[in-house]
Amino acid sequence: MKNIFKILSTIFAALLAGPVLAQQVEMADTMRSEGKIYVVVGIVLIVLVGLIAYLFMLDRRVKKLENRQK
Amino acid sequence: MKTWLKIVAIVLLIYVHTAGLLMDVPRLNILNETVRALYFHVPMWFGMVLLYFMSVYYAIRYLRNPLSDFDTYSVTYAHVGTAFGILGMVTGMLWANYTWGSPWHGDPKQNGAAIALLVYLAYFVLRGSLENEEQRAKLGAVYNIFAFAAMIPLLFIIPRLTDSLHPGNGGNPGFNAYDLDASMRKVFYPAVLAWFLIGLWIVNIRVRIKKLEEKSIQQS
């Protein structure tokens, strides 16, 4: 009976300590640091790269048309 | 347009958008982090002025030697320049809303920029109202010179003569207002160059499309 109580209290303590421990665990937190600015950087870069890729595709399409007309 | 120039523009833009958001900037009251908008808002205007300069350059070349290619380049540069100007206007209004208190503050530079954009919009109206191609090109080229000559004082001279909230005007120092001016330049000038190159690229695509259209009209 004492053993069961011991086990239960250990589990309970572990549950309580869980959130505290989680903060010490090493995670990929770069994206969440400094007010999550890196998320914004990522979003801006995605938009930028996407638009430039679009320009490249437009360029290729025009080139195809030019080749066809020759 | 050379592919390496496009690559340079892309690499510079990726650098500008990363460093512009992450690098240290001067800590200033009211401006706070919005000082970073300098890296994204001002290059639109610099790009516009450079593109308008190319436009007036081709307008003068057309007047000296009336080849329709020169006219095509002139109008396309003006077109892309106006797109840059509209982006500069919208970003500036958003910035002004949170630092000056309202999107339209009646700042001389803001008003001057709006007038300059309207002068260029009138250029497109003028061109659109003329049927005869030669007449359109010639009148357009003459008006283009007028528009460029009107834009320079509106953007760069009048705001300096009166009080303006824009840095570098009316006794306001430009970059010197910020302690870290040297480090801000490291991001700002690449941004100007990169966006100008992107502008040239868009002009290049538009001119090629226009030539294709003309060819297909001739063939049909």
Side-chain angles (χ1 to χ4, degrees):
Chain A
M1 196 65 197
K2 260 185 181 171
N3 268 344
I4 290 169
F5 181 74
K6 235 180 198 170
I7 291 164
L8 277 178
S9 62
T10 317
I11 291 169
F12 190 64
L15 281 176
L16 267 183
V20 180
L21 279 174
Q23 280 175 355
Q24 291 160 352
V25 173
E26 198 70 29
M27 297 286 273
D29 277 331
T30 316
M31 295 288 271
R32 296 183 195 89
S33 64
E34 289 185 41
K36 302 190 180 79
I37 184 68
Y38 293 97
V39 179
V40 182
V41 175
I43 289 166
V44 169
L45 286 180
I46 289 167
V47 171
L48 185 71
V49 170
L51 277 175
I52 287 168
Y54 185 81
L55 258 183
F56 258 118
M57 275 151 59
L58 209 63
D59 205 326
R60 247 210 338 240
R61 184 167 290 189
V62 174
K63 200 171 271 171
K64 248 186 218 164
L65 273 174
E66 282 172 341
N67 288 337
R68 204 184 293 169
Q69 277 213 343
K70 266 176 196 166
Chain B
M1 193 172 160
K2 295 270 187 296
T3 309
W4 70 268
L5 271 177
K6 297 172 189 170
I7 308 260
V8 166
I10 294 161
V11 171
L12 282 179
L13 276 183
I14 289 171
Y15 158 70
V16 164
H17 282 75
T18 313
L21 288 169
L22 296 179
M23 259 175 56
D24 272 340
V25 287
R27 286 162 189 270
L28 301 168
N29 282 328
I30 301 168
L31 271 178
N32 306 103
E33 289 280 5
T34 71
V35 69
R36 294 180 195 277
L38 177 102
Y39 300 137
F40 308 102
H41 159 74
V42 187
M44 291 295 120
W45 293 110
F46 274 52
M48 181 196 81
V49 172
L50 289 170
L51 289 166
Y52 280 169
F53 177 78
M54 294 304 290
S55 176
V56 77
Y57 169 73
Y58 277 103
I60 292 168
R61 279 189 80 175
Y62 177 83
L63 289 176
R64 290 170 65 92
N65 181 14
L67 296 173
S68 72
D69 265 9
F70 290 154
D71 182 54
T72 305
Y73 272 104
S74 184
V75 68
T76 312
Y77 274 114
H79 209 280
V80 180
T82 306
F84 273 57
I86 290 168
L87 287 175
M89 188 60 81
V90 175
T91 52
M93 281 167 72
L94 181 63
W95 195 3
N97 194 31
Y98 295 100
T99 48
W100 296 348
S102 61
W104 206 270
H105 215 72
D107 181 75
K109 198 155 193 158
Q110 205 175 17
N111 286 340
I115 297 167
L117 276 180
L118 287 174
V119 167
Y120 270 92
L121 287 179
Y123 168 71
F124 298 110
V125 173
L126 172 72
R127 290 185 65 97
S129 65
L130 293 166
E131 286 285 322
N132 184 308
E133 248 175 64
E134 233 170 88
Q135 206 178 11
R136 185 195 324 163
K138 198 174 276 181
L139 279 176
V142 172
Y143 183 85
N144 197 320
I145 296 170
F146 163 76
F148 190 79
M151 178 196 68
I152 295 300
L154 280 169
L155 287 185
F156 299 110
I157 300 174
I158 296 171
R160 274 165 209 268
L161 295 177
T162 58
D163 270 334
S164 172
L165 289 163
H166 273 93
N169 296 285
N172 268 343
F175 275 120
N176 305 330
Y178 317 125
D179 312 328
L180 285 177
D181 55 333
S183 74
M184 288 195 84
R185 274 170 226 256
K186 270 183 230 154
V187 180
F188 175 71
Y189 289 123
V192 171
L193 178 65
W195 281 115
F196 178 55
L197 287 175
I198 294 287
L200 292 184
W201 187 1
I202 299 171
V203 166
N204 175 271
I205 291 175
R206 283 191 70 104
V207 166
R208 279 156 62 199
I209 290 173
K210 205 165 203 178
K211 282 182 182 166
L212 283 172
E213 280 172 356
E214 279 166 9
K215 256 188 203 166
S216 69
I217 289 168
Q218 281 170 2
Q219 281 171 355
S220 61

